[in-house]
Amino acid sequence: MATCLTIDLGLMGYAEAYALQKRIVAARKADAVEDVLLLCEHPHVITLGRNGKREHLLASENVLRQKGVEFYETRRGGDVTYHGPGQIVGYPILNLAAIRRDVVWYVRMLEEVMIRAAGDFGAVANREVGKTGVWVATRKNSPQSAQRAQNGTETAEKLGAIGVHISRWVTSHGFAYNVSTDLRFFDLIVPCGIADRKATSLEKLLGRGIDSREVAARLTQHFGQIFGLDMRAASQDELFERLREVELAWSGAATVAQQPILAVQERG
C-alpha cells in the first residue's frame, strides 16, 4: 500500500498554502515525495475558479476590505467559494496515474470522503446530480424549508465544496468541509455559482459543538480507505525539510548543467 503523508498546517493564509501546494506538486511530478494530504483552515478568503463568473462575487472590494476578506482568482475547477475559520480545507497532492486515471471518479471519491465523515457524526449527506459537492436536506419543519417548498425550489444545503486542478495526473486544490464556519460570509457570494442554495455546517446540522480535530481525523481515515493509501502523519518541519532537500538537489543539478565545458588541449 502506497504511503500518503498527512500534514496539519493549522491556520494558514491562502496564498501561502497555494505556494506550498505548487512546491509539493513539482516534487510529486518528479516522484521525489510521496502523496500528500494537506489539511488547514484559512483566514477569511473568497476564491474564484478558472471557469467562474465574476458576477457571482456579490460584495465590492470596499466591503471585502471592511470585513477582512481577501480575494484570489485560481486555477482550480468550479466557480466561487468562501474559506474561513471553522472550515477544514483539504489539499490532496496525489499521483492519480498510480491510483486511477479518472477525473470524474476522483471528484466523486472526494465527495464520498465527506459523506462518510458526516455519517460518522450522525448527519446524512448526499450527492446531487449535476451539482458537485456534498449536500444535506434541510429539516422539513424549518422556516427555510417551508419557504422553499412554497416557492417550488429545492431545499438541500451545501456542506462541502470541491474544486480541483490536475496536471500530468498530479492533483492539487481539493475540498472544503464546513464544521463550525460562520455561514454569514457565504452571503458575499453565490456559492459555487448556484443561486437559491445556501451553505450549512456540521454544527448547524447537529445543533452542538464539534471538535474540528476529530472531524479532520475522520476525513483522513476515510480518505486513506477510499484511495487505498496508508496515511502517515508528518509535521510541517518534516515536510519542509523534505522539500528543501529536493529543491537543493535540483538547484545543484541545474548549476552543474549550466557550467561551461572546458576544452582540454593535450601537450605532446
Side-chain angles (χ1 to χ4, degrees), residues 154-180:
E154 299 181 58
T155 60
E157 295 180 337
K158 198 163 195 174
L159 177 64
I162 293 174
V164 303
H165 179 72
I166 298 175
S167 173
R168 286 165 43 192
W169 291 109
V170 173
T171 68
S172 58
H173 298 279
F175 62 87
Y177 190 82
N178 297 325
V179 179
S180 58

Side-chain angles (χ1 to χ4, degrees), residues 108 111 114 126-128 131-135 158 160-162:
R108 296 290 85 83
E111 291 171 342
M114 293 189 283
N126 296 286
R127 299 179 181 84
E128 285 204 5
K131 295 181 176 65
T132 298
V134 173
W135 304 83
K158 198 163 195 174
I162 293 174

Side-chain angles (χ1 to χ4, degrees), residues 37 92 94 110 113 219-227 229 231:
L37 173 63
L94 308 179
L110 290 181
V113 169
L219 288 167
T220 301
Q221 176 187 357
H222 291 304
F223 187 90
Q225 291 171 347
I226 288 169
F227 289 103
L229 297 168
M231 309 302 290

Side-chain angles (χ1 to χ4, degrees), residues 6 39 88 121 179 211-221:
T6 306
L39 294 175
I88 297 176
F121 293 90
V179 179
D211 187 341
S212 288
R213 292 171 299 182
E214 186 177 352
V215 179
R218 296 302 181 97
L219 288 167
T220 301
Q221 176 187 357

Side-chain angles (χ1 to χ4, degrees), residues 10-164:
L11 183 66
M12 177 177 282
Y14 183 83
E16 185 179 357
Y18 180 50
L20 178 58
Q21 281 189 79
K22 290 194 290 185
R23 292 176 65 189
I24 300 171
V25 165
R28 192 68 190 94
K29 285 180 177 179
D31 204 23
V33 296
E34 302 98 322
D35 289 330
V36 176
L37 173 63
L38 301 175
L39 294 175
C40 67
E41 294 185 25
H42 291 311
H44 302 298
V45 61
I46 290 171
T47 66
L48 183 68
R50 60 181 179 273
N51 298 319
K53 297 181 179 180
R54 190 65 181 257
E55 57 264 31
H56 290 157
L57 174 62
L58 303 179
S60 65
E61 292 183 9
N62 186 48
V63 169
L64 294 180
R65 188 164 47 250
Q66 289 176 350
K67 293 183 176 293
V69 180
E70 294 186 310
F71 174 77
Y72 290 96
E73 296 186 14
T74 75
R75 298 177 62 196
R76 64 165 172 80
D79 204 285
V80 65
T81 195
Y82 160 79
H83 300 306
Q87 179 191 76
I88 297 176
V89 180
Y91 293 126
I93 293 92
L94 308 179
N95 177 18
L96 274 189
I99 301 173
R100 180 168 169 173
R101 296 174 180 248
D102 188 330
V103 176
V104 174
W105 173 85
Y106 174 62
V107 172
R108 296 290 85 83
M109 291 305 99
L110 290 181
E111 291 171 342
E112 186 65 22
V113 169
M114 293 189 283
I115 288 171
R116 293 187 187 182
D120 289 341
F121 293 90
V124 179
N126 296 286
R127 299 179 181 84
E128 285 204 5
V129 177
K131 295 181 176 65
T132 298
V134 173
W135 304 83
V136 180
T138 55
R139 295 178 181 176
K140 293 182 179 180
N141 60 351
S142 70
Q144 297 92 335
S145 178
Q147 181 179 358
R148 292 178 188 178
Q150 184 177 1
N151 295 338
T153 57
E154 299 181 58
T155 60
E157 295 180 337
K158 198 163 195 174
L159 177 64
I162 293 174
V164 303

Side-chain angles (χ1 to χ4, degrees), residues 191-206:
C192 300
I194 304 174
D196 299 323
R197 290 297 186 98
K198 296 291 185 180
T200 190
S201 69
L202 204 55
E203 286 198 347
K204 179 184 176 184
L205 291 168
L206 301 178

